[in-house]
Amino acid sequence: MDTYLETGRLALRRFTVDDADLLIELDGDPAVMRFLTGGIPTAPELVRERDLPNVLAGYEKWGGDFGLFAAHEKDGGAFIGWFHLRPGPEGPPDEAELGYRLRQAAWGRGYATEGSRALLEKAFTELAVRTVWAATMAVNHGSRHIMEKLGMTLADTLPTPSDMEMVEGSEQGGVRYEITREQWKQR
């Protein structure tokens, strides 16, 4: 396995062309997709033809430093989902977005916090990132709680994108949390 990052319980690696079924299963769970598509699964052909090629292209674009990474339990190797750390589409490389999507079996086990903490450390100590941000629906209290546990603070409210208007709570919009390198060092 081409390990990108390890934590006490997790190994993060780059996705490969052979990983489409992992993403299809993850994005096929209505509970996982609740705050993204209103629970509508991503069509398998979109994962194969759009999503996975975009993930793989990201590694090349950012020299392997940033991207979307498959997360596996170190004990047994089970796929639990993914984490990402990457600049925005038009953003500078010293401002990176943090995100994650985990299988239901991994919820409530501290994996989102553990993986995210490790990515923050990598961003601020190895990758010359100045600011890390994350966004979610205002009603996604679970993700907001994780962002707060990471030391991130509410920076802005966001309008709901038109393709997410069917999501429960979309009328409340979204939120953006941030943490700077200086804030991270002082925590």
Side-chain angles (χ1 to χ4, degrees):
M1 177 173 16
D2 179 22
T3 303
Y4 173 76
L5 179 69
E6 284 191 26
T7 71
R9 300 180 297 161
L10 301 174
L12 277 59
R13 65 166 177 86
R14 290 168 187 83
F15 279 95
T16 71
V17 294
D18 298 323
D19 289 325
D21 289 341
L22 296 176
L23 293 171
I24 290 167
E25 177 197 352
L26 183 65
D27 285 11
D29 183 335
V32 169
M33 301 303 287
R34 176 180 173 199
F35 293 115
L36 300 165
T37 64
I40 300 168
T42 305
E45 60 273 10
L46 286 179
V47 172
R48 285 190 182 92
E49 297 168 14
R50 178 196 66 192
D51 297 343
L52 187 55
N54 286 341
V55 168
L56 300 176
Y59 302 139
E60 189 170 322
K61 177 179 181 179
W62 297 302
D65 289 340
F66 297 100
L68 189 115
F69 304 96
H72 295 267
E73 291 176 331
K74 285 168 67 174
D75 183 20
F79 173 73
I80 64 151
W82 56 252
F83 289 84
H84 76 236
L85 180 68
R86 60 187 178 198
E90 305 300 321
D94 67 346
E95 292 182 15
E97 178 187 15
L98 173 71
Y100 44 83
R101 186 173 302 167
L102 303 181
R103 296 173 65 204
Q104 281 191 71
W107 293 0
R109 299 180 63 192
Y111 288 143
T113 303
E114 183 176 330
S116 296
R117 274 196 180 122
L119 285 171
L120 283 177
E121 182 172 350
K122 186 172 186 81
F124 292 135
T125 63
E126 296 177 31
L127 300 176
V129 172
R130 180 181 47 83
T131 301
V132 174
W133 61 274
T136 190
M137 298 295 296
V139 296
N140 189 345
H141 298 291
S143 281
R144 293 181 72 171
H145 179 66
I146 291 165
M147 293 172 197
E148 291 164 0
K149 282 175 32 177
L150 297 170
M152 301 178 92
T153 56
L154 181 62
D156 204 358
T157 57
L158 306 168
T160 300
S162 60
D163 65 342
M164 292 180 69
E165 290 175 352
M166 80 300 271
V167 176
E168 170 192 344
S170 65
E171 69 281 357
Q172 296 180 42
V175 289
R176 177 181 165 126
Y177 282 73
E178 294 180 354
I179 188 169
T180 64
R181 183 184 313 122
E182 292 73 28
Q183 291 168 327
W184 177 81
K185 286 178 181 177
Q186 294 173 6
R187 76 202 184 314

